[in-house]
Amino acid sequence: MKKNYLFVALLAGTMLISSCASKKELENCQNENKELSGNYQSAKEELAASKARVASLEEQLAQQKKDYALLQQSLDKSLVNANSNNINISKLVDQINESNQYIRHLVEVKSKSDSLNMVLTNNLTRSLSKEEMKEVDVQVLKGVVYISLADNMLYKSGSYEVNDRAAETLSKIAKIITDYKDYDVLIEGNTDNVPISRENIRNNWDLSALRASSVVQYLQNHYGVDPKRLTAGGRGEYNPVASNASEVGRQRNRRTQIIITPKLDQFMELIDKAPEDSSK
């Protein structure tokens, strides 16, 4: 009886061990199955994405082929039109080269003019004293030299006659004008907006023009500047550089400008020296 009991116990233990081993293997198999299922699903998704990318690239390639075909048709049409109109490509290239050469020529002319103006300005400013520079403003704007002089240094009070104080400054300006013979000179009078009340002077137009004329004649009579190069003009109160609401602004507006520019005919002659037409 004791032997039977031992046998049964051993058999039961063996079965229990076997059962545990089978359960562990089952769990392992289930885990492997789950992992394989996950890998399979990922592979399916990657395959679907790859197919979508391939489809997109095929569509892009097809569109590029269509665009290329349209471009080729347009090019063929352009060539046909060019041939039908007997356009000489070589002649077009020559014309473009001529245009580029002319543009370079204009740039050289402008550079030459700018350089001369800067030299003129430097020579003038170096000749003026510190005191004179307080009442004389020299600028180069758009290739033109502007010399602006305050009216209180040029004219007698309430008058258009040039005073003795202006003689030295005008002599230096006259020398510059004489040295640069290829330039014309415009003398331009400007006033503030305060009405003038003097006999024989009707308004600020008259005053500005008379003051400009006085400077022109002073340059001609005292320093021998060729009158053919001189022009006198008045702009009255209508070319202000500051507000007339204050005394300082009105003082700035009461000025005479000496404007020095290259002679127009010589400047145009330089510009007109365009490259010769190769088609002639």
Side-chain angles (χ1 to χ4, degrees):
M1 186 68 179
K2 189 175 183 180
K3 289 182 178 180
N4 290 337
Y5 178 76
L6 181 60
F7 176 75
V8 171
L10 289 172
L11 180 61
T14 302
M15 291 178 65
L16 180 60
I17 293 170
S18 176
S19 174
C20 289
S22 299
K23 186 177 181 181
K24 187 175 183 180
E25 289 178 356
L26 178 60
E27 289 177 353
N28 290 337
C29 288
Q30 288 176 341
N31 290 334
E32 290 179 0
N33 183 57
K34 186 183 292 185
E35 184 178 354
L36 290 172
S37 296
N39 292 339
Y40 175 69
Q41 185 63 30
S42 298
K44 285 178 63 178
E45 292 175 357
E46 290 179 3
L47 178 61
S50 297
K51 287 182 178 180
R53 286 196 295 270
V54 170
S56 176
L57 291 173
E58 287 178 345
E59 289 179 1
Q60 293 179 27
L61 179 61
Q63 184 62 44
Q64 289 178 355
K65 287 182 178 179
K66 289 180 181 179
D67 293 343
Y68 176 78
L70 291 174
L71 181 61
Q72 187 64 46
Q73 290 176 5
S74 177
L75 179 60
D76 292 342
K77 185 177 180 180
S78 297
L79 291 174
V80 169
N81 289 337
N83 291 331
S84 63
N85 293 326
N86 295 320
I87 295 179
N88 190 330
I89 303 300
S90 177
K91 184 177 179 180
L92 288 177
V93 172
D94 289 341
Q95 291 175 352
I96 292 172
N97 290 335
E98 290 172 5
S99 298
N100 290 336
Q101 185 178 350
Y102 187 47
I103 291 172
R104 288 194 295 270
H105 170 72
L106 292 179
V107 170
E108 290 174 359
V109 170
K110 185 180 183 304
S111 298
K112 181 179 179 182
S113 176
D114 290 346
S115 297
L116 287 173
N117 287 340
M118 291 307 299
V119 172
L120 183 155
T121 302
N122 291 336
N123 288 344
L124 176 60
T125 53
R126 280 199 299 266
S127 68
L128 297 174
S129 67
K130 290 182 179 181
E131 291 300 318
E132 288 173 322
M133 287 300 295
K134 293 178 181 179
E135 297 179 298
V136 179
D137 181 43
V138 183
Q139 295 183 24
V140 177
L141 300 174
K142 297 181 180 180
V144 178
V145 179
Y146 291 83
I147 306 170
S148 184
L149 302 100
D151 71 327
N152 57 2
M153 76 161 294
L154 276 178
Y155 311 105
K156 299 175 183 178
S157 179
S159 171
Y160 55 84
E161 297 292 342
V162 176
N163 62 31
D164 296 334
R165 179 169 168 245
E168 184 176 355
T169 302
L170 288 178
S171 69
K172 296 173 182 178
I173 296 174
K175 183 178 186 309
I176 292 294
I177 295 174
T178 304
D179 290 342
Y180 290 82
K181 299 184 183 299
D182 292 335
Y183 285 73
D184 281 331
V185 182
L186 168 64
I187 312 298
E188 183 182 271
N190 295 270
T191 70
D192 57 24
N193 65 347
V194 178
I196 184 74
S197 58
R198 280 199 57 188
E199 188 178 355
N200 299 326
I201 301 179
R202 293 170 296 181
N203 48 41
N204 284 331
W205 278 114
D206 279 0
L207 178 61
S208 62
L210 287 168
R211 285 182 167 179
S213 178
S214 292
V215 174
V216 163
Q217 294 178 65
Y218 201 92
L219 292 173
Q220 175 187 356
N221 297 331
H222 288 76
Y223 305 113
V225 177
D226 185 356
K228 295 179 181 178
R229 298 173 56 196
L230 300 173
T231 301
R235 301 191 67 174
E237 63 197 67
Y238 302 104
N239 185 36
V241 292
S243 171
N244 282 301
S246 67
E247 175 55 35
V248 173
R250 291 191 293 272
Q251 185 176 354
R252 288 189 61 196
N253 291 331
R254 296 192 300 268
R255 70 199 187 280
T256 297
Q257 285 188 310
I258 300 178
I259 304 171
I260 305 176
T261 62
K263 288 186 177 179
L264 184 60
D265 55 348
Q266 295 182 1
F267 185 71
M268 293 304 297
E269 183 181 352
L270 285 173
I271 293 179
D272 287 340
K273 291 180 180 178
E276 294 183 358
D277 188 350
S278 61
S279 63
K280 293 181 180 180

